[in-house]
Amino acid sequence: MIKTNNENDWNNWRWQLQNRITSLEELREYIHLTNEEIKYFKDVSEEYPFAVTPYYLSLVKDPKDLKDPIRLQIVPSLLEIDPVAQKNSHPNALNEEGFIKGLTHRYEDRALISVTSYCGVYCRHCMRKRIFKEGTHAIPKELLDIYFDYIKSHKNIKDVLISGGDPLTLDNERLKYILDNLSSIEHLEVIRIGSRVIVTLPQRLYDEDLLDILSKYDKLWINTHFNHPNEITKESKEAVLRLLKAGIPVNNQAVLLKDVNDEKETILELMRKLLSIKVKPQYLFHCDPITGAIHFKTSIEKGLEIMDYLRGRLSGFGIPTYAIDLPGGKGKVPLTPSHFKKLGNGYEFIAFDKSVVIIEE
Ligand SMILES: *Cc1c(COP(=O)(O)O)cnc(C)c1O
Ligand code: SF4
């Protein structure tokens, strides 16, 4: 175990956060870094902070493997600040945030609120990396109250996404305040928390008090963010199980990332393993052109190929929707490999075994 031999410490989320690895010197004790990574660590991490929990760092299998999928998600890379690598990117490509800071009301029935800009681990591919530097642990209650008033006065909002940063890094009292306020709004039918602690800090869900609180809200769902089969461990399985026992369904939103998970077999294994711990794969997102993260982008063709591969190899409910979020706040669009075309007098279908079937209409 990194930094301790004491299992109680390891299983304590506060210990995990207090003992995050945040400096070059510490990181070098655990994994091999290239000369370039060492040389530019300061420049990159000044722009986009670096932090990783001992737990998530322990998922790096071979300290010498430069292509380890966990390593790629946590180690600052020169590409993040290289103007050529970041060509055609934008810090806020999806044009989040409306006239209230931290609140995005894009779809008529759904609103997204940001309740912290703090995360246990700063993922290098994060679409919100523009807010890392703000580093505010919790936004002020006055601003939360403004969100609640806005949602109360917009009766068309049925679904609220609590986002950040990572909302489940907040303390229990603050989470209770947020959830009490939202669940008292009658026209809300769904409350979703978007959190990666299941993946990067599953010990957060070992906190019985938190589970007691979460179990009180009958509209609550959790969206999490597994990207690679190596992230599915006995700890993350335990975290999911505790949530399910508290009555909270868990959906996954993965992002297709170059070298991390852009192989057919990797995505197939990820979805399979998610089902095995009872997490429903909801989305596989095409990587957004975010400044500091665009170098993780793959081609849409590659994504479609992977989706095509899943068909017939995985239970239907294990197949996520592959989607792209359009720049400028134009919303999500599903990307589906085409398996049929219209003929003059019917349709031609391509079956999962690639045979062609024609149905006349
Ligand atoms: C993605 C998103 C949502 C939720 O969309 P779903 O498809 O329902 O998950 C809501 N608001 C904003 C601004 C979003 O980006
Ligand atoms: S946990 Fe989520 S919000 Fe936080 S850095 Fe990772 S991807 Fe971004």
Coordinates of all heavy atoms in Angstrom, one line a residue, residues 125-158:
H125 N -7.7 14.3 -18.6 CA -8.6 14.4 -19.8 C -9.9 15.2 -19.4 O -10.8 15.3 -20.2 CB -9.0 13.0 -20.3 CG -9.7 12.3 -19.2 ND1 -9.1 11.5 -18.3 CD2 -11.0 12.2 -18.9 CE1 -10.0 11.0 -17.5 NE2 -11.2 11.3 -17.8
C126 N -9.9 15.8 -18.2 CA -11.2 16.4 -17.7 C -11.7 17.5 -18.6 O -11.0 18.4 -19.0 CB -11.0 16.9 -16.3 SG -12.5 17.6 -15.7
M127 N -13.0 17.4 -18.9 CA -13.6 18.5 -19.8 C -13.8 19.8 -19.0 O -14.1 20.8 -19.6 CB -14.9 18.0 -20.3 CG -15.9 17.7 -19.3 SD -17.6 17.4 -19.9 CE -18.1 19.1 -20.2
R128 N -13.6 19.7 -17.7 CA -13.8 21.0 -16.9 C -12.4 21.4 -16.3 O -12.4 22.1 -15.3 CB -14.7 20.7 -15.7 CG -16.1 20.3 -16.1 CD -17.2 21.3 -15.6 NE -18.4 21.0 -16.2 CZ -19.3 20.0 -15.8 NH1 -19.0 19.4 -14.6 NH2 -20.4 19.8 -16.4
K129 N -11.4 21.1 -17.0 CA -10.0 21.4 -16.4 C -9.8 22.9 -16.3 O -8.9 23.3 -15.6 CB -8.9 20.6 -17.0 CG -8.6 20.8 -18.5 CD -7.7 19.6 -19.0 CE -6.3 19.6 -18.3 NZ -5.5 18.5 -18.8
R130 N -10.6 23.7 -17.0 CA -10.5 25.1 -16.9 C -10.7 25.6 -15.4 O -10.3 26.7 -15.1 CB -11.4 25.8 -17.8 CG -12.9 25.6 -17.5 CD -13.8 26.3 -18.4 NE -15.2 26.3 -17.9 CZ -16.1 25.3 -18.1 NH1 -15.7 24.2 -18.7 NH2 -17.3 25.4 -17.6
I131 N -11.5 24.8 -14.6 CA -11.8 25.2 -13.3 C -10.9 24.6 -12.2 O -11.0 25.0 -11.0 CB -13.3 25.0 -12.9 CG1 -13.6 23.5 -12.7 CG2 -14.2 25.7 -13.9 CD1 -15.0 23.3 -12.2
F132 N -10.0 23.8 -12.6 CA -9.1 23.2 -11.6 C -8.4 24.2 -10.7 O -8.3 24.1 -9.5 CB -7.9 22.4 -12.3 CG -8.2 21.1 -12.8 CD1 -9.5 20.6 -12.9 CD2 -7.2 20.3 -13.4 CE1 -9.8 19.3 -13.4 CE2 -7.5 19.0 -13.9 CZ -8.8 18.5 -13.9
K133 N -7.9 25.3 -11.4 CA -7.1 26.2 -10.7 C -7.9 27.0 -9.6 O -7.3 27.5 -8.7 CB -6.4 27.2 -11.7 CG -5.0 26.8 -12.0 CD -4.2 27.9 -12.6 CE -4.8 28.3 -14.0 NZ -3.8 29.1 -14.8
E134 N -9.2 27.1 -9.8 CA -10.0 27.8 -8.9 C -9.9 27.2 -7.5 O -9.8 27.9 -6.5 CB -11.5 27.8 -9.2 CG -11.8 28.6 -10.5 CD -13.3 28.5 -10.9 OE1 -14.1 28.0 -10.0 OE2 -13.6 28.8 -12.0
G135 N -9.8 25.9 -7.5 CA -9.5 25.1 -6.2 C -10.4 25.4 -5.1 O -10.1 25.1 -3.9
T136 N -11.6 26.0 -5.3 CA -12.5 26.3 -4.2 C -13.1 24.9 -3.8 O -13.7 24.2 -4.6 CB -13.7 27.2 -4.5 OG1 -13.9 27.0 -5.9 CG2 -13.4 28.6 -4.2
H137 N -13.0 24.6 -2.5 CA -13.5 23.3 -2.1 C -15.0 23.2 -2.2 O -15.6 22.3 -2.7 CB -13.1 23.0 -0.7 CG -13.1 21.6 -0.4 ND1 -12.1 20.9 0.2 CD2 -14.0 20.6 -0.7 CE1 -12.4 19.6 0.3 NE2 -13.5 19.4 -0.2
A138 N -15.7 24.2 -1.7 CA -17.2 24.2 -1.8 C -17.6 25.6 -2.2 O -17.0 26.6 -1.7 CB -17.8 23.9 -0.4
I139 N -18.5 25.8 -3.0 CA -19.0 27.1 -3.4 C -19.9 27.6 -2.2 O -20.5 26.8 -1.5 CB -19.7 27.1 -4.7 CG1 -21.0 26.3 -4.6 CG2 -18.9 26.6 -5.8 CD1 -22.1 26.9 -5.5
P140 N -20.0 28.9 -2.1 CA -20.7 29.5 -0.9 C -22.2 29.1 -0.9 O -22.8 29.0 -2.0 CB -20.6 31.0 -1.1 CG -19.7 31.2 -2.2 CD -19.4 30.0 -2.9
K141 N -22.8 29.0 0.3 CA -24.2 28.6 0.4 C -25.1 29.7 -0.3 O -26.1 29.3 -0.9 CB -24.6 28.6 1.9 CG -24.3 27.2 2.5 CD -25.0 27.1 3.9 CE -24.8 25.6 4.3 NZ -24.9 25.5 5.8
E142 N -24.7 30.9 -0.3 CA -25.5 32.0 -1.0 C -25.7 31.6 -2.5 O -26.8 31.8 -3.0 CB -24.8 33.3 -0.9 CG -24.7 33.9 0.5 CD -23.6 33.2 1.4 OE1 -22.5 33.0 0.9 OE2 -23.9 32.8 2.5
L143 N -24.6 31.1 -3.1 CA -24.7 30.8 -4.5 C -25.6 29.5 -4.7 O -26.5 29.4 -5.6 CB -23.4 30.6 -5.1 CG -23.3 30.3 -6.6 CD1 -24.1 31.4 -7.4 CD2 -21.9 30.3 -7.1
L144 N -25.5 28.5 -3.8 CA -26.3 27.4 -3.8 C -27.8 27.8 -3.7 O -28.7 27.3 -4.5 CB -26.0 26.4 -2.6 CG -24.7 25.7 -2.7 CD1 -24.5 24.8 -1.4 CD2 -24.6 24.8 -3.9
D145 N -28.1 28.7 -2.8 CA -29.4 29.2 -2.6 C -30.0 29.9 -3.9 O -31.2 29.7 -4.2 CB -29.5 30.2 -1.4 CG -29.3 29.5 -0.1 OD1 -29.4 28.2 -0.1 OD2 -28.9 30.2 0.9
I146 N -29.1 30.5 -4.6 CA -29.5 31.1 -5.9 C -29.9 30.0 -6.9 O -30.9 30.1 -7.6 CB -28.4 32.0 -6.5 CG1 -28.2 33.2 -5.6 CG2 -28.7 32.4 -7.9 CD1 -27.0 34.1 -5.9
Y147 N -29.1 28.9 -6.9 CA -29.5 27.8 -7.8 C -30.9 27.3 -7.4 O -31.7 27.0 -8.2 CB -28.5 26.6 -7.6 CG -27.1 26.8 -8.0 CD1 -26.1 25.9 -7.5 CD2 -26.7 27.8 -8.8 CE1 -24.8 26.0 -7.8 CE2 -25.3 28.0 -9.1 CZ -24.4 27.1 -8.7 OH -23.1 27.2 -9.0
F148 N -31.1 27.0 -6.1 CA -32.3 26.5 -5.6 C -33.5 27.4 -6.0 O -34.5 26.9 -6.5 CB -32.3 26.2 -4.1 CG -31.2 25.3 -3.6 CD1 -30.6 25.6 -2.4 CD2 -30.7 24.3 -4.4 CE1 -29.5 24.8 -2.0 CE2 -29.7 23.5 -4.0 CZ -29.0 23.8 -2.8
D149 N -33.3 28.7 -5.9 CA -34.4 29.6 -6.2 C -34.7 29.5 -7.7 O -35.9 29.5 -8.1 CB -34.0 31.0 -5.9 CG -34.1 31.3 -4.4 OD1 -34.8 30.5 -3.7 OD2 -33.5 32.2 -3.9
Y150 N -33.6 29.4 -8.5 CA -33.8 29.3 -10.0 C -34.6 28.1 -10.3 O -35.6 28.1 -11.1 CB -32.5 29.3 -10.7 CG -32.5 29.2 -12.2 CD1 -32.5 30.4 -12.9 CD2 -32.6 28.0 -12.8 CE1 -32.6 30.3 -14.3 CE2 -32.7 27.9 -14.2 CZ -32.7 29.1 -14.9 OH -32.8 29.0 -16.3
I151 N -34.2 26.9 -9.7 CA -34.9 25.7 -10.0 C -36.3 25.7 -9.6 O -37.2 25.2 -10.3 CB -34.1 24.5 -9.4 CG1 -32.7 24.4 -10.1 CG2 -34.8 23.2 -9.7 CD1 -31.7 23.5 -9.3
K152 N -36.5 26.3 -8.4 CA -37.9 26.4 -7.8 C -38.8 27.2 -8.8 O -40.0 26.8 -9.0 CB -37.9 27.1 -6.5 CG -38.1 26.2 -5.3 CD -38.0 27.0 -4.0 CE -37.0 26.3 -3.1 NZ -36.6 27.2 -2.0
S153 N -38.3 28.2 -9.4 CA -39.1 29.1 -10.2 C -39.2 28.6 -11.6 O -39.9 29.3 -12.4 CB -38.6 30.5 -10.1 OG -37.3 30.6 -10.7
H154 N -38.5 27.6 -12.0 CA -38.6 27.0 -13.3 C -39.2 25.6 -13.3 O -38.5 24.6 -13.2 CB -37.2 27.0 -14.0 CG -36.7 28.3 -14.4 ND1 -36.2 29.2 -13.5 CD2 -36.7 28.9 -15.6 CE1 -35.9 30.3 -14.1 NE2 -36.1 30.2 -15.4
K155 N -40.5 25.6 -13.3 CA -41.3 24.4 -13.1 C -41.1 23.3 -14.2 O -41.4 22.1 -14.0 CB -42.8 24.6 -13.0 CG -43.1 25.5 -11.7 CD -44.4 25.0 -11.1 CE -44.5 25.5 -9.6 NZ -44.1 26.8 -9.3
N156 N -40.5 23.8 -15.3 CA -40.2 22.8 -16.4 C -39.0 22.0 -16.1 O -38.7 20.9 -16.8 CB -40.0 23.5 -17.7 CG -39.1 24.7 -17.6 OD1 -38.9 25.3 -16.5 ND2 -38.6 25.2 -18.8
I157 N -38.2 22.3 -15.1 CA -37.0 21.5 -14.8 C -37.5 20.3 -14.0 O -38.0 20.4 -12.9 CB -36.0 22.3 -14.0 CG1 -35.5 23.5 -14.8 CG2 -34.8 21.4 -13.6 CD1 -34.5 24.4 -14.1
K158 N -37.2 19.1 -14.5 CA -37.6 17.9 -13.8 C -36.4 17.1 -13.3 O -36.6 16.2 -12.5 CB -38.3 16.9 -14.9 CG -39.5 17.6 -15.6 CD -40.7 17.7 -14.7 CE -41.8 18.4 -15.4 NZ -42.6 19.2 -14.5

